[in-house]
Amino acid sequence: METLLTTTNHLNLPFSLFSNPTPSSPLSFTPHCFSSKFKHSSRTTTLYTTTPSSKPSTPLRISANSQAAPMETSTSTPTIPSDMKAWVYGDYGGPDVLKFDTKVLVPEINKDQVLVKVVAAALNPVDFKRMLGKFKASDSNLPTVPGYDVAGIVVKVGSQVKSFRVGDEVYGDINEKALENPKQFGSLAEYTAVEEKLLALKPKNLDFIQAAGLPLAIETAYEGLEKAGLSAGKSVLVLGGAGGVGTLAIQLAKQVFGASRVAATSSTGKLELLKSLGVDLAIDYTKENFEDLQEKYDVVFDAVGQCDRAVKVVKEGGSVVVLTGAVTAPGFRFVVTSSGNFLKKLNLYLESGKVKPLVDPKCPFSFSQTVEAFSYLEKGRATGKVVIYPIP
Ligand SMILES: NC(=O)c1ccc[n+]([C@@H]2O[C@H](COP(=O)([O-])OP(=O)(O)OC[C@H]3O[C@@H](n4cnc5c(N)ncnc54)[C@H](OP(=O)(O)O)[C@@H]3O)[C@@H](O)[C@H]2O)c1
């Protein structure tokens, strides 16, 4: 963790290129306004009256406690409805299996959890891979409310929760182990239950859209680079530099780990973005093969699935961390573990502006456009993060 204290450069990134729309509804709620806000949102049904075909014929009633410890009771909380709007799938498949449901039970919380009113949620490739059934063997039971990343407001706290209070603006990846029994009740819903240890206070300078896009991707970038042994003065090649993880891996490599040289790959139209993020060498993968460039790196961070090629450009004694695809020695597979502590530490860099979130210019997708958002992410061409906002 010492690398977190070795910041060197300060980037001046031209992110106006990807400016986010200013959300129209208030983003700073105070506890006293929860009641009316929630009563209002629980009665709002107009958003989906134009898409009746997306509703399941029989509303799915799934219980949050199907995989949880005894239910927690709490006092003096805002008014929370018993049912909520959520996206749900009951069978594995492509985006078509997603159904909008207005009658999903609001999750109960355990002693170590908080209930979050979701303001924005982000999609990650793991969401559609899980929905396709690729992790069936270790998945929780269907039906599933998908969604790992959340930014929202705490509306209820369990009795063992120490760090958060009702009204806190928080963000996090709600699944500690991405592929092992991920929650049945994800973040593509009005409310989601999350362990305290997986959350951090939302960086003060970021809106909910920006914050929602960070957790899983920035934790993957940070933990992956750390496990690969990146440290000050070393070089790194990021394969997939323009994606949700890659855009953060580039910035963390420079700003947090103090890498001396950062190279990254993307298609032609995204090379300028890579440079704005701080890369020393932007490689156009449509025109050249990175392994033909005669340069070797201490670390290769593979967010594309090109380990067989990545191992050819790593220095002797260096490492290749592999997020996806087949692994060739000496590469090693890495799967993220969600941690609020990582987010708390990285908040320093986010609040100082040294590390910036990048939200895809097509975003945010509205809650009613969640199926389109999944289809868009699945194409593998997103620039930065795909975020859903507002959540009713
Ligand atoms: N193991 C883990 O814990 C973990 C955690 C997070 C993510 N992942 C995995 O890591 C991968 C990346 O995740 P992500 O969230 O960054 O995905 P993403 O945001 O969907 O990545 C999209 C980006 O990938 C780039 N890309 C596609 N093919 C490329 C290629 N051949 N060379 C260079 N760039 C390419 C695209 O840029 P162009 O349009 O320029 O091609 C696009 O900007 C996914 O497979 C995901 O499942 C694993």
Side-chain angles (χ1 to χ4, degrees):
M1 298 308 300
E2 281 160 19
T3 47
L4 279 170
L5 304 173
T6 59
T7 306
T8 48
N9 308 323
H10 178 80
L11 286 180
N12 194 9
L13 304 174
F15 277 93
S16 54
L17 190 64
F18 300 101
S19 62
N20 297 319
T22 306
S24 52
S25 58
L27 290 181
S28 269
F29 298 116
T30 49
H32 69 262
C33 71
F34 280 136
S35 230
S36 58
K37 172 77 183 165
F38 293 153
K39 279 179 184 165
H40 170 75
S41 66
S42 68
R43 286 175 190 155
T44 302
T45 52
T46 51
L47 185 60
Y48 295 97
T49 53
T50 55
T51 56
S53 59
S54 67
K55 292 183 186 178
S57 51
T58 311
L60 292 163
R61 307 273 303 180
I62 50 182
S63 158
N65 276 337
S66 60
Q67 55 181 8
M71 177 197 311
E72 179 67 7
T73 54
S74 63
T75 55
S76 66
T77 57
T79 304
I80 298 165
S82 54
D83 292 343
M84 64 177 182
K85 301 179 183 78
W87 285 93
V88 180
Y89 57 90
D91 297 300
Y92 290 118
D96 288 352
V97 300
L98 277 166
K99 306 292 176 206
F100 178 70
D101 193 340
T102 58
K103 292 284 178 196
V104 174
L105 291 177
V106 171
E108 299 291 346
I109 55 171
N110 300 330
K111 290 177 180 174
D112 62 341
Q113 290 183 321
V114 301
L115 185 68
V116 175
K117 168 66 188 76
V118 182
V119 178
L123 300 186
N124 290 281
V126 70
D127 283 302
F128 67 72
K129 292 179 185 178
R130 178 186 178 197
M131 195 165 73
L132 284 168
K134 288 183 185 285
F135 313 122
K136 212 182 273 188
S138 57
D139 201 356
S140 51
N141 293 333
L142 296 171
T144 298
V145 174
Y148 285 63
D149 279 336
V150 66
I153 300 160
V154 173
V155 292
K156 190 174 177 182
V157 297
S159 60
Q160 290 174 355
V161 170
K162 296 195 171 59
S163 328
F164 300 112
R165 291 178 303 178
V166 169
D168 281 346
E169 298 179 352
V170 295
Y171 76 131
D173 163 7
I174 69 165
N175 291 310
E176 184 169 21
K177 300 282 184 191
L179 309 181
E180 293 171 29
N181 203 27
K183 288 188 174 72
Q184 196 177 8
F185 278 66
S187 57
L188 288 169
E190 289 182 274
Y191 297 88
T192 195
V194 196
E195 290 77 7
E196 169 183 35
K197 66 181 178 181
L198 305 185
L199 294 171
L201 289 174
K202 179 177 75 64
K204 294 183 186 66
N205 57 325
L206 303 184
D207 62 34
F208 284 94
I209 298 170
Q210 294 168 316
L214 284 166
L216 190 147
I218 203 167
E219 289 168 355
T220 302
Y222 182 75
E223 292 176 48
L225 290 172
E226 188 183 50
K227 284 205 160 51
L230 187 64
S231 59
K234 289 188 175 175
S235 59
V236 58
L237 168 64
V238 177
L239 301 177
V245 177
T247 51
L248 290 161
I250 290 167
Q251 295 182 74
L252 295 191
K254 275 273 174 181
Q255 299 296 325
V256 178
F257 291 85
S260 57
R261 183 165 170 82
V262 179
T265 59
S266 78
S267 56
T268 315
K270 296 176 179 175
L271 296 174
E272 287 309 311
L273 166 70
L274 298 190
K275 288 177 197 162
S276 75
L277 294 171
V279 301
D280 303 289
L281 176 65
I283 303 167
D284 183 344
Y285 74 80
T286 69
K287 299 204 171 120
E288 49 195 356
N289 293 322
F290 58 83
E291 63 270 37
D292 295 339
L293 297 179
Q294 308 297 322
E295 184 166 354
K296 294 211 185 284
Y297 303 88
D298 295 299
V299 170
V300 184
F301 185 94
D302 177 14
V304 175
Q306 297 175 327
C307 183
D308 54 335
R309 295 166 57 195
V311 294
K312 295 178 185 163
V313 299
V314 72
K315 288 180 185 170
E316 204 175 324
S319 50
V320 178
V321 56
V322 179
L323 302 191
T324 185
V327 179
T328 306
F332 69 93
R333 157 123 25 244
F334 158 74
V335 180
V336 65
T337 301
S338 172
S339 159
N341 282 338
F342 281 147
L343 295 180
K344 283 173 196 158
K345 283 166 185 159
L346 291 168
N347 274 1
L348 190 71
Y349 295 89
L350 293 161
E351 289 185 340
S352 68
K354 288 177 177 165
V355 174
K356 303 197 182 206
L358 185 61
V359 176
D360 185 278
K362 283 197 191 307
C363 293
F365 285 89
S366 69
F367 200 48
S368 62
Q369 295 172 315
T370 296
V371 173
E372 289 96 312
F374 265 85
S375 301
Y376 179 63
L377 183 71
E378 211 169 349
K379 289 191 176 77
R381 297 273 88 83
T383 303
K385 292 300 305 182
V386 172
V387 182
I388 313 276
Y389 169 90
I391 310 283

